[in-house]
Amino acid sequence: MPQPHATSPYGTWSSPFTATSIASSAPRIDGARFVGDEIWWGESIPADGGRVTVRSSTGDALLPAPWSARSRVHEYGGGAWTADADGTLFFVDAKDQRVYRMPRGAEPAPLTPAAQGGAGPSHGGLRLQNGRLLAVREDATATPHLRGIVEIPTDGSAAADETAIRVHIQGTAFFAHPALSPDGTRIAWVEWSGRRMPWQAAWLRVSSGDDAFANVRTRAALQPEWASDTELLYADDPGGRWALHRLKLDGLRASEPEPIAPADADTGYGLWVLGNRWYQPLPDGRIVTVRTNGSDEVVVIDPDGSVRPLEVPATAHVSVDDVSGARVLLSGGGATVNAGLWCVDADSGQVARIRGGAATDEAWMPPAGQLTIDGAHGPVHAFDYAPANPTSSAPSEELPPYIVFVHGGPTAHVAGAASAAIAYYTSRGIGVLDVNYGGSTGYGRDYRERLDHQWGIVDVDDVLAAARDLAASGRADPARIAIRGSSAGGWTVLSALVRGGVFAAGISRYGVADLRMLAQDSHDFEKHYIDGLVGALPDAEDVYIDRSPLTHADRIDVPVLLLQGEDDRVVPPSQSQAIRDALAARGIPHEYVLYPGEGHGFRRAETIVDALERELAFLGQAFGFEA
């Protein structure tokens, strides 16, 4: 039976997408593994304060409350759990950052020592290979902070004796992706100095112990994986796109790297978290890999270098989490499916949906349109989600309001995935334009490096160009275009509002307002990030002052909604509060909301619900409609 149809102004359409349903609409998958005959995966539970449990394809929730598998290494964590084939879970607990062992049905038992007189080291990037448990360890209590690759005994002997933990490498550098050779004699990893970010410069190292190392000349290495005892795979971008490379090894003597089926796409992106996997070798020598050029494609590379696509629904931020024979576990989002986890047979192409990943109703969530816009610094890439509601339409003379979404990072990207959070707006008659401004990943190094020393210029120019294109093309009402962003995206929101003249309202979620304040509060991982984006202090202090939205807050003349986590250690509340005070002093309409218990990114169901409902109400006030 056809649904009844109504004509009403944009923004007022009736929608089945409630903030409450969105808080639990799509699972947030955090890694997946083949465990015996089962499939296990990590999953965040918004209704339980964002706690991360581990679930099984049998239907069991394996990690009970109050335990939560979450790492704080490098602040953003990742790789907080793994498992063996017999069903023993190894995980980092969010509260104390110790590593625990939990046989199925048993209580967790610690594998690393308790902190003495305060906070202890954090662990992440767990890797269990040949019965040996590797981890990235970070000790933020040391001066200077120490990080390294460690091997943790799985028998619990190190819980009371820290010396039982074997340290393979340690220092003030940063480390990721430990990988043990099949014969157990060597470990490979990625390392970078901290003076530059890992997507700028990171090198591949291989160790056989006893301070013997092979340093492989790389540009920005990612994810080493052993194909055999004499062959090491990794991703690198010497040609400007991250591509797979093969290295032959005789002990620690390495051959010249050989590129594997390079393409005009990236296998890899910003190394923000430790659990990402962009490819996996199969036992027969084939490689299943992700290639990103705006959106993702999954392909199989044969030993002879020939490539064939693997037809899968996942096309956004795809992770190749694990392999078993020809079976592959893929997690991510898709243009026509919700975020989820799939098991794919690389031989037959058969796809089994394990968790989430349901097809969307294209009447409510049509695929995004992929756009390229002319900008001041070159082409600007974006995804356009036009208003869509099969039961409603607007008067023919009305143009829709739009929100320009700005991703965080800034070295990150969006990929045009279907999203109930976006449909929350589009189903009500509010369009969304998701912009990959210059500096985003997913389009190669040249595009990524547009933002070098230009943060606050290129990103702002690009979102302004995208908004002007919306208006000039007749897709949006020029008087009703808002901008919304989180973290670094919040910085771009505030900077664009300072420019003025384009956006009628702004929503900043834990956005950066003052560069000097950010540099002062920055944690170790991002301590020198701003050096490359803006310049180094003290030489660039004048630039820091001039670029900061707080310096020019007197130019903001439109309503602003500020949403902030009270426990945010990346962008502390002082940043949003400073903008709030500046707006209040001039009588600019604004709202400031501080969420207790939230950090950098909202995880609790009640926060997600409240933030969405406040955003919709705020847009209604700014644009003159009642949602």
Side-chain angles (χ1 to χ4, degrees):
M1 180 180 295
Q3 295 176 307
H5 197 87
T7 299
S8 56
Y10 288 113
T12 68
W13 298 349
S14 179
S15 169
F17 296 94
T18 66
T20 300
S21 67
I22 286 163
S24 58
S25 61
R28 182 172 178 171
I29 304 297
D30 188 6
R33 300 286 183 274
F34 290 105
V35 180
D37 295 329
E38 302 174 28
I39 293 169
W40 290 11
W41 66 91
E43 183 175 334
S44 177
I45 310 173
D48 198 4
R51 183 177 74 86
V52 178
T53 188
V54 177
R55 298 187 183 277
S56 168
S57 52
T58 63
D60 295 338
L62 303 169
L63 186 63
W67 301 98
S68 179
R70 180 174 296 149
S71 166
R72 290 200 297 267
V73 171
H74 305 168
E75 194 63 39
Y76 299 106
W81 72 275
T82 189
D84 66 18
D86 296 326
T88 297
L89 176 67
F90 301 87
F91 69 96
V92 179
D93 183 54
K95 186 175 181 180
D96 62 13
Q97 292 296 290
R98 298 172 76 187
V99 179
Y100 289 80
R101 176 182 185 271
M102 191 181 81
R104 193 166 192 158
E107 289 294 313
L111 296 182
T112 55
Q116 301 296 318
S122 299
H123 300 83
L126 300 186
R127 196 84 190 269
L128 186 69
Q129 296 179 295
N130 298 338
R132 294 166 62 180
L133 182 61
L134 303 176
V136 179
R137 184 175 68 180
E138 180 175 43
D139 187 356
T141 66
T143 305
H145 294 183
L146 291 176
R147 286 163 289 268
I149 305 291
V150 298
E151 185 173 335
I152 302 168
T154 59
D155 61 3
S157 58
D161 179 12
E162 186 175 359
T163 63
I165 296 174
R166 181 180 178 184
V167 179
H168 288 280
I169 182 69
Q170 181 170 271
T172 58
F174 292 81
F175 306 90
H177 293 150
L180 182 68
S181 63
D183 64 6
T185 63
R186 287 154 298 165
I187 293 177
W189 65 84
V190 168
E191 182 175 336
W192 65 100
S193 71
R195 301 294 303 184
R196 304 185 75 190
M197 301 304 286
W199 45 85
Q200 295 175 307
W203 55 93
L204 176 65
R205 300 189 78 180
V206 183
S207 170
S208 61
D210 302 322
D211 296 323
F213 298 97
N215 294 313
V216 181
R217 187 174 62 225
T218 55
R219 195 177 188 189
L222 289 169
Q223 194 194 334
E225 301 283 354
W226 294 89
S228 70
D229 286 327
T230 60
E231 184 174 297
L232 184 65
L233 308 178
Y234 64 98
D236 194 17
D237 72 337
R241 303 298 302 245
W242 271 302
L244 291 180
H245 289 74
R246 178 184 289 109
L247 198 68
K248 298 290 187 180
L249 284 159
D250 179 8
L252 293 179
R253 292 190 299 273
S255 68
E256 284 296 311
E258 171 195 348
I260 304 173
D264 189 19
D266 287 314
T267 295
Y269 49 81
L271 211 174
W272 288 99
V273 297
L274 296 175
N276 289 336
R277 290 284 183 270
W278 296 279
Y279 73 95
Q280 293 279 2
L282 299 179
D284 61 7
R286 292 178 296 170
I287 305 169
V288 176
T289 185
V290 179
R291 288 176 165 178
T292 304
N293 191 40
S295 298
D296 291 353
E297 178 188 33
V298 182
V299 303
V300 178
I301 303 175
D302 288 330
D304 63 3
S306 60
V307 177
R308 66 176 175 89
L310 203 54
E311 298 298 330
V312 297
T315 58
H317 295 108
V318 179
S319 180
V320 189
D321 289 317
D322 200 8
V323 298
S324 177
R327 295 188 303 156
V328 184
L329 290 178
L330 301 175
S331 60
T336 59
V337 295
N338 293 312
L341 172 66
W342 297 265
C343 182
V344 183
D345 189 302
D347 291 334
S348 68
Q350 183 178 357
V351 178
R353 184 162 59 92
I354 306 301
R355 178 74 173 107
T360 57
D361 183 344
E362 292 193 17
W364 289 99
M365 282 197 283
Q370 194 162 349
L371 304 178
T372 302
I373 300 152
D374 290 333
H377 309 279
V380 180
H381 302 289
F383 293 92
D384 186 13
Y385 301 82
N389 184 317
T391 69
S392 301
S393 60
S396 58
E397 70 278 5
E398 185 183 4
L399 290 174
Y402 253 79
I403 319 174
V404 173
F405 276 19
V406 191
H407 66 69
T411 312
H413 74 280
V414 293
S419 164
I422 287 177
Y424 181 74
Y425 297 103
T426 56
S427 63
R428 288 172 166 80
I430 304 167
V432 172
L433 186 69
D434 218 351
V435 181
N436 279 323
Y437 49 85
S440 300
T441 55
Y443 301 94
R445 183 178 279 258
D446 287 347
Y447 196 79
R448 202 163 70 240
E449 291 185 343
R450 277 192 200 172
L451 208 58
D452 286 3
H453 296 102
Q454 298 296 305
W455 194 33
I457 296 175
V458 167
D459 52 322
V460 178
D461 287 344
D462 285 358
V463 297
L464 289 172
R468 291 187 180 112
D469 181 75
L470 277 174
S473 65
R475 305 197 313 278
D477 181 346
R480 294 193 297 171
I481 302 176
I483 183 169
R484 171 192 185 266
S486 304
S487 188
W491 151 275
T492 306
V493 167
L494 297 172
S495 299
L497 296 182
V498 164
R499 294 270 196 101
V502 173
F503 295 109
I507 300 170
S508 172
R509 292 180 168 213
Y510 38 93
V512 176
D514 185 278
L515 283 176
R516 289 182 299 173
M517 197 182 302
L518 180 66
Q520 177 182 322
D521 295 333
S522 185
H523 55 103
D524 246 25
F525 177 71
E526 296 184 74
K527 187 174 182 179
H528 296 285
Y529 191 17
I530 313 174
D531 294 2
L533 293 171
V534 181
L537 291 172
D539 293 347
E541 184 168 13
D542 289 346
V543 180
Y544 277 50
I545 294 170
D546 185 58
R547 295 261 187 97
S548 295
L550 185 60
T551 303
H552 308 291
D554 58 333
R555 300 179 188 172
I556 299 176
D557 58 4
V558 297
V560 182
L561 174 62
L562 303 164
L563 306 175
Q564 177 70 47
E566 186 176 38
D567 300 335
D568 194 333
R569 298 190 298 186
V570 178
V571 182
S574 54
Q575 296 259 1
S576 294
Q577 290 165 357
I579 284 288
R580 173 203 63 188
D581 294 345
L583 296 172
R586 296 178 48 248
I588 300 299
H590 70 280
E591 185 178 3
Y592 172 73
V593 185
L594 186 66
Y595 293 108
E598 292 286 9
H600 198 66
F602 300 154
R603 297 179 180 272
R604 299 170 182 260
E606 59 269 27
T607 304
I608 296 169
V609 169
D610 186 76
L612 283 170
E613 291 180 344
R614 284 181 188 274
E615 288 181 356
L616 185 60
F618 170 77
L619 292 172
Q621 287 181 329
F623 292 158
F625 61 78
E626 184 175 346

